[in-house]
Amino acid sequence: MTTRYSFGGDEHIFVEVNEEMSLPAFFKSLSMTNAVRESRIRGVTEICPSNASFQIKFDPDVIAPDDLMAELKSFEAGAETIDTVISTRVIEVPVFYDDPWTRETLMRFRERHQEPAGTDLDYAARINGFGDFEAFIKAHSGAPWFVSMVGFVAGLPFMYQMVDRKRQIEVPKYLRPRTDTPRLTVGHGGCFGCIYSVRGAGGYQMFGITPMPIYDPAQKVSYLRDFMILFRPGDIVQFRRVDREGYDAAVEAVDGGRFEPAMRDVCFSLADFLADPDGTNASILKVMP
């Protein structure tokens, strides 16, 4: 697909790198938004990166829309040839799958679901060709996830599983959105995983819940005192299954200020990943304790 540029009213330019999500599309978008930030174009007031696109807000009294459009297009050639290696973090996220809170919630909203008779895990397992939800959970937690954007609501990460396309987990959203989703629900819609940073409405399938806060505007959580949002684009997430005892222990540690997420610095090469996804994942996960 050719990159598509369009104006959004008088103060925005929207750039669509690709119609479908892929890591190459994300890296091209990342390269272009980094170039915009580093160039310090007068009149640019906000840069909003997304999965395979981005939006720029600007002041038309400072820079003419057509001039900014030309500037953005000039960054595209460099984005095609950039060395796609980044220094990032692997963050381990404990997950209590099939927990009582998301299960109670999903049962309250079954009339909005494609298959009211089962659970979200049952449905996701069936349409992805797994024998049961235990096999599905093993696949969901068996490979890392790449954080491609953070937003929609504050601190919510959108995550793309780092496997070849034929193994991508894909599950449609609810037929009609729920009016309630527990805070810290691990969800999935389309090809994207997410973690609901706050309680609220939502339409993603619900697989479990994490005890690990990822957003704290009061900055009272020990590891969020420097910045209220945990994730940033480019982070790599590894889900780790825990049982009820492990979940409760982690909640107690969070409340007591003793919980520290397991994370390590890592160098990620897009070229290496595309050549050998499983080998790259194994190498990345070796850095975890």
Side-chain angles (χ1 to χ4, degrees):
M1 171 186 168
T2 301
T3 301
R4 184 162 60 193
Y5 298 79
S6 58
F7 289 109
D10 297 329
E11 298 180 340
H12 297 87
I13 293 178
F14 177 68
V15 182
E16 186 178 16
V17 173
N18 205 313
E19 291 180 345
E20 63 180 25
M21 174 59 197
S22 67
L23 287 180
F26 166 79
F27 270 86
K28 182 175 178 179
S29 175
L30 178 67
S31 172
M32 293 181 70
T33 52
N34 284 343
V36 174
R37 185 182 67 251
E38 292 165 4
S39 64
R40 300 182 180 275
I41 301 170
R42 290 186 65 252
V44 170
T45 58
E46 291 184 38
I47 304 170
C48 183
S50 185
N51 300 305
S53 61
F54 62 92
Q55 183 168 276
I56 304 295
K57 184 178 181 182
F58 64 97
D59 184 344
D61 292 330
V62 177
I63 184 169
D66 288 338
D67 290 344
L68 179 56
M69 181 76 82
E71 289 267 18
L72 296 180
K73 289 181 178 180
S74 73
F75 297 136
E76 186 174 356
E80 297 282 5
T81 59
I82 190 170
D83 183 16
T84 48
V85 177
I86 60 171
S87 296
T88 186
R89 307 176 296 176
V90 182
I91 303 174
E92 186 179 87
V93 176
V95 182
F96 182 14
Y97 288 96
D98 196 27
D99 66 280
W101 305 283
T102 58
R103 177 177 274 265
E104 185 277 331
T105 303
L106 66 87
M107 287 302 180
R108 281 194 282 124
F109 293 95
R110 291 327 281 167
E111 80 284 356
R112 304 182 183 213
H113 196 274
Q114 291 87 345
E115 293 190 357
T119 68
D120 293 5
L121 278 168
D122 293 331
Y123 175 64
R126 186 187 66 76
I127 68 171
N128 282 278
F130 293 96
D132 55 32
F133 74 78
E134 287 291 339
F136 175 82
I137 290 172
K138 185 176 180 180
H140 185 268
S141 59
W145 297 71
F146 197 93
V147 177
S148 56
M149 66 170 282
V150 179
F152 188 72
V153 297
L156 185 152
F158 285 82
M159 298 172 289
Y160 183 81
Q161 195 172 30
M162 297 167 60
V163 294
D164 53 277
R165 188 170 291 274
K166 68 177 181 293
R167 287 189 288 158
Q168 284 287 336
I169 292 171
E170 294 194 28
V171 192
K173 295 185 288 185
Y174 276 43
L175 297 175
R176 290 186 295 128
R178 301 176 302 274
T179 56
D180 189 24
T181 307
R183 171 178 170 263
L184 298 179
T185 290
V186 175
H188 198 97
C191 69
F192 286 107
C194 81
I195 302 173
Y196 284 78
S197 54
V198 297
R199 182 179 182 181
Y204 277 25
Q205 308 286 334
M206 295 183 288
F207 298 158
I209 199 164
T210 177
M212 190 175 93
I214 61 172
Y215 168 63
D216 178 23
Q219 294 181 258
K220 294 181 179 179
V221 174
S222 59
Y223 55 88
L224 296 176
R225 286 174 182 153
D226 292 334
F227 190 60
M228 67 182 71
I229 293 171
L230 175 62
F231 292 111
R232 55 191 184 226
D235 280 341
I236 294 171
V237 171
Q238 177 62 37
F239 292 124
R240 176 175 60 85
R241 188 177 189 179
V242 297
D243 57 13
R244 179 60 188 266
E245 183 179 359
Y247 174 87
D248 289 343
V251 169
E252 183 179 351
V254 169
D255 292 343
R258 303 185 307 276
F259 186 90
E260 288 296 329
M263 65 175 71
R264 295 288 186 275
D265 294 332
V266 67
C267 182
F268 175 79
S269 165
L270 177 62
D272 290 348
F273 174 80
L274 295 177
D276 181 10
D278 291 339
T280 301
N281 290 344
S283 177
I284 287 172
L285 296 182
K286 282 181 181 178
V287 305
M288 299 306 293

